[in-house]
Amino acid sequence: MARAEDGTSVPIWVQGLEAPTFPALERDLDVEVAIVGAGIAGMSVAYELACCGVPVAVIDDGSVGGGQTQRTTAHLASAIDDRFTSLEKWHGAEAARIAAASHAAAIDRIERIVEQEAIDCGFERVDGFLFLGRGKSRADLDLEYEAARRAGLAPERLDISPFPGLGAACIRFPRQAQIHPLRYLHGLARGAAARGALVFEGTHVARIEEGEPVRLSTSRGASVRARNVVVATNAPIHTLFALHTKQAAYRSFVIGLSVPEGSVQRALCWDMEDPYHYVRLCESVEPAQEVLLVGGEDRRLGTREANDAGERHAALERWARDRFPALGPVVHRWSGEVMEPVDGLAFIGASPGGGSHLFVATGDSGMGMTHGAIAGMLLRDLVLHRPSPWASLYDPSRKPVRAALEYARENLETAAHYLDWLRGGDASLPEIAVDSGAVVREGLRKLAVYRDPDGALHVRSATCPHLGCVVAWNGVERTWDCPCHGSRFDRFGRVVHGPANRDLAPEEPPGNG
Ligand SMILES: Cc1cc2nc3c(=O)[nH]c(=O)nc-3n(C[C@H](O)[C@H](O)[C@H](O)COP(=O)(O)OP(=O)(O)OC[C@H]3O[C@@H](n4cnc5c(N)ncnc54)[C@H](O)[C@@H]3O)c2cc1C
Ligand code: FES
């Protein structure tokens, strides 16, 4: 089974791209390390292990980078997006220092790989600027500045900023960076393959059985026996509960606006609002123009607000036009899914309860690019039984004791979504427009019904196969999104994002169809 479409909005990175292609897995395989998922996390692990001469195979049911990595804005930051003040609260000052060092090391590692593999991905060191935003005071900025200093970075507190529209007071973080994420990922895949890594696309991993060896079954029939397995599927597909209660899925939105070349300083900008905004420049296909990428407006996945992409993109546009003069038309709009850990840091290491040969990387937050590079180095060390200064910080089995409030809030919201079973449907069959979908109630059944452009109905159960929440229609990405732990399905009900690893079950049409 090949991966279904992850969403119908098209990120800027895909345009004009020449992607390498890799075969599907058609035969049984014995390998030292099998990696499920070829996004930034999985490919980074593959590359690092291949550089150490370890035989690895990467298996993806779509294409390399075709998951959330193609939907990123690819800021490479050591300025933690959940803020150092929060990290100190949740993990302590020493842990905040290790976190800052690990993200800085990730940027350095990406820079070295770009040089070593001669990857033409526009890697560029830029400053990062943190601004206040609505509802925040200068005291908040001062506290963050002090916490960033304690974390070992070299921030600079400014009272006159190079982005007056974003405010006067800000913190400058030197030595941040930006890249073209897909060109980088493709370079990483080529580099890993040149060192003997096997890369397979279009191959769905249907089952992971722990043991020695760990066994994978794929939906094309081939099976894989591996001494070690790394699950890098963005949301883990091999556990029902572990990890899913410690992170929540959000949808983040991006617009790209045309702007005359040189009119905006090249930098990364963020504000401290909740949800926050993020800004960077990138190349345009138009002569003498660049594209200003403006992201944010994050909302919990599967909710009405998250599914109203029109309003989210319009809010981003209003925000950008209020702050940046000389903006031209909006030339790109897209959205993607982010797994937010309740305590701000990714989960990278031995999978909880999974023995010593099963590893996981998830909880990317808005820093998934650097978390992915960290996963590459950390999981390499764990697989090779080397010590790592980052192991306990990112341990997937850690308890978010000091983030108990955030833990309770996210899980209460999840629990509230089970009440969707008591509600009616969103529409009746005749109300479903062409190329649109709605949840329809019939007695005890809740059905996910999509009407295709020819008017034919495609009917699936609206029950998420992960843990039974009711999915919701996302009209812009044309996917069924589960508000509980982030599973998503294309309009025909085929799974596109975990933790569910199965399609929505087929159902008879309601009534007489
Ligand atoms: C709008 C947006 C903006 C962002 N901006 C930034 C930013 O500026 N900086 C930053 O650091 N991060 C950012 N992020 C986060 C970051 O981009 C992601 O966290 C990161 O790309 C995720 O990488 P991944 O490898 O974990 O997952 P993915 O890229 O999703 O890769 C997982 C892969 O697993 C495959 N897979 C899943 N299930 C199976 C299966 N059963 N069998 C086989 N293969 C499977 C999928 O096909 C996919 O290719 C952003 C994210 C979004 C959505
Ligand atoms: S993702 Fe867990 S119930 Fe749907």
Side-chain angles (χ1 to χ4, degrees):
M1 185 183 83
R3 173 140 290 238
E5 210 172 43
D6 187 77
T8 42
S9 68
V10 182
I12 189 170
W13 318 115
V14 174
Q15 70 182 10
L17 192 75
E18 276 180 35
T21 55
F22 297 95
L25 178 61
E26 306 282 5
R27 64 189 161 86
D28 293 350
L29 193 68
D30 274 285
V31 70
E32 180 69 19
V33 182
I35 298 162
V36 189
I40 183 72
M43 268 334 300
S44 298
V45 180
Y47 180 83
E48 299 293 356
L49 286 170
C51 285
C52 296
V54 178
V56 295
V58 191
I59 304 167
D60 198 294
D61 58 7
S63 54
V64 170
Q68 299 319 299
T69 301
Q70 71 171 2
R71 299 186 166 269
T72 188
T73 47
H75 294 213
L76 304 182
S78 56
I80 304 283
D81 70 342
D82 277 314
R83 308 294 159 239
F84 288 105
T85 39
S86 304
L87 280 197
E88 284 190 347
K89 185 177 82 181
W90 294 329
H91 300 274
E94 175 58 12
R97 200 189 57 72
I98 299 173
S102 66
H103 283 275
I107 304 174
D108 292 347
R109 181 66 185 143
I110 291 172
E111 185 173 31
R112 266 202 311 280
I113 293 172
V114 168
E115 279 168 19
Q116 198 169 310
E117 302 296 329
I119 304 174
D120 177 19
C121 63
F123 178 96
E124 187 180 356
R125 288 278 182 179
V126 287
D127 286 339
F129 293 92
L130 180 64
F131 292 88
L132 283 169
R134 280 165 305 197
K136 295 287 170 183
S137 70
R138 288 173 83 103
D140 294 319
L141 204 62
D142 291 338
L143 287 173
E144 185 59 18
Y145 168 72
E146 291 301 338
R149 270 167 52 98
R150 283 193 294 276
L153 297 184
E156 188 185 359
R157 181 78 171 75
L158 302 179
D159 284 314
I160 300 176
S161 90
F163 298 92
L166 291 173
C170 65
I171 306 172
R172 182 179 77 87
F173 291 90
R175 291 187 64 71
Q176 312 296 291
Q178 60 180 31
I179 48 170
H180 185 303
L182 285 185
R183 285 199 218 142
Y184 174 69
L185 209 65
H186 293 153
L188 209 54
R190 287 189 184 100
R195 287 168 178 77
L198 303 172
V199 183
F200 300 102
E201 295 181 325
T203 306
H204 180 73
V205 173
R207 192 140 179 251
I208 300 173
E209 280 172 80
E210 287 156 29
E212 295 188 23
V214 186
R215 290 165 195 271
L216 309 184
S217 3
T218 71
S219 45
R220 301 181 77 91
S223 59
V224 179
R225 290 152 43 101
R227 190 167 155 70
N228 298 289
V229 165
V230 174
V231 182
T233 51
N234 198 235
I237 52 162
H238 66 297
T239 65
L240 262 191
F241 293 103
L243 294 169
H244 303 301
T245 54
K246 297 196 285 188
Q247 59 183 357
Y250 281 76
R251 181 161 285 284
S252 194
F253 298 84
V254 185
I255 56 172
L257 301 106
S258 221
V259 63
E261 202 170 352
S263 63
V264 176
Q265 179 180 323
R266 301 180 83 73
L268 309 180
C269 299
W270 318 282
D271 67 20
M272 297 176 80
E273 289 182 25
D274 185 16
Y276 77 119
H277 299 88
Y278 46 95
V279 177
R280 66 164 278 191
L281 279 171
C282 65
E283 280 172 21
S284 169
V285 288
E286 297 298 324
Q289 294 289 308
E290 291 175 294
V291 176
L292 188 75
L293 297 182
V294 179
E297 282 290 315
D298 299 16
R299 293 293 189 281
R300 186 141 163 158
L301 191 105
T303 57
R304 192 182 50 75
E305 291 83 7
N307 290 342
D308 190 353
E311 177 44 34
R312 302 280 80 76
H313 285 140
L316 284 178
E317 185 176 352
R318 285 194 297 274
W319 183 91
R321 292 199 188 282
D322 281 351
R323 288 160 180 80
F324 292 89
L327 287 179
V330 175
V331 285
H332 294 276
R333 287 184 183 84
W334 77 87
S335 72
E337 181 171 347
V338 173
M339 304 306 300
E340 283 294 345
V342 294
D343 62 2
L345 293 174
F347 302 103
I348 305 167
S351 182
S356 54
H357 297 289
L358 190 55
F359 300 90
V360 68
T362 187
D364 45 21
S365 78
M367 304 193 69
M369 299 304 290
T370 38
H371 271 140
I374 290 168
M377 295 181 275
L378 174 51
L379 293 181
R380 172 201 63 201
D381 290 345
L382 294 182
V383 166
L384 296 176
H385 303 290
R386 293 177 182 169
S388 166
W390 308 332
S392 69
L393 186 66
Y394 291 107
D395 182 0
S397 296
R398 71 180 184 265
K399 305 255 181 303
V401 181
R402 293 204 269 181
L405 211 65
E406 290 75 10
Y407 180 85
R409 196 187 57 222
E410 292 295 3
N411 283 291
L412 276 173
E413 181 156 353
T414 299
H417 283 295
Y418 281 95
L419 297 176
D420 290 347
W421 275 107
L422 303 178
R423 301 198 178 97
D426 299 333
S428 63
L429 278 192
E431 286 169 337
I432 301 175
V434 161
D435 200 17
S436 184
V439 172
V440 173
R441 172 142 221 158
E442 191 192 52
L444 291 178
R445 293 198 304 163
K446 282 210 156 189
L447 304 171
V449 183
Y450 167 67
R451 188 185 296 281
D452 72 21
D454 298 325
L457 294 178
H458 302 262
V459 183
R460 295 278 173 153
S461 165
T463 308
C464 174
H466 175 229
L467 285 173
C469 273
V470 180
V471 297
W473 175 247
N474 176 336
V476 165
E477 298 300 352
R478 309 226 305 296
T479 51
W480 299 101
D481 295 359
C482 181
C484 283
H485 313 99
S487 295
R488 287 185 298 112
F489 308 84
D490 78 355
R491 54 194 181 279
F492 304 111
R494 295 174 300 201
V495 65
V496 293
H497 193 276
N501 201 26
R502 281 184 288 133
D503 300 343
L504 295 175
E507 283 275 355
E508 289 299 317
N512 294 326

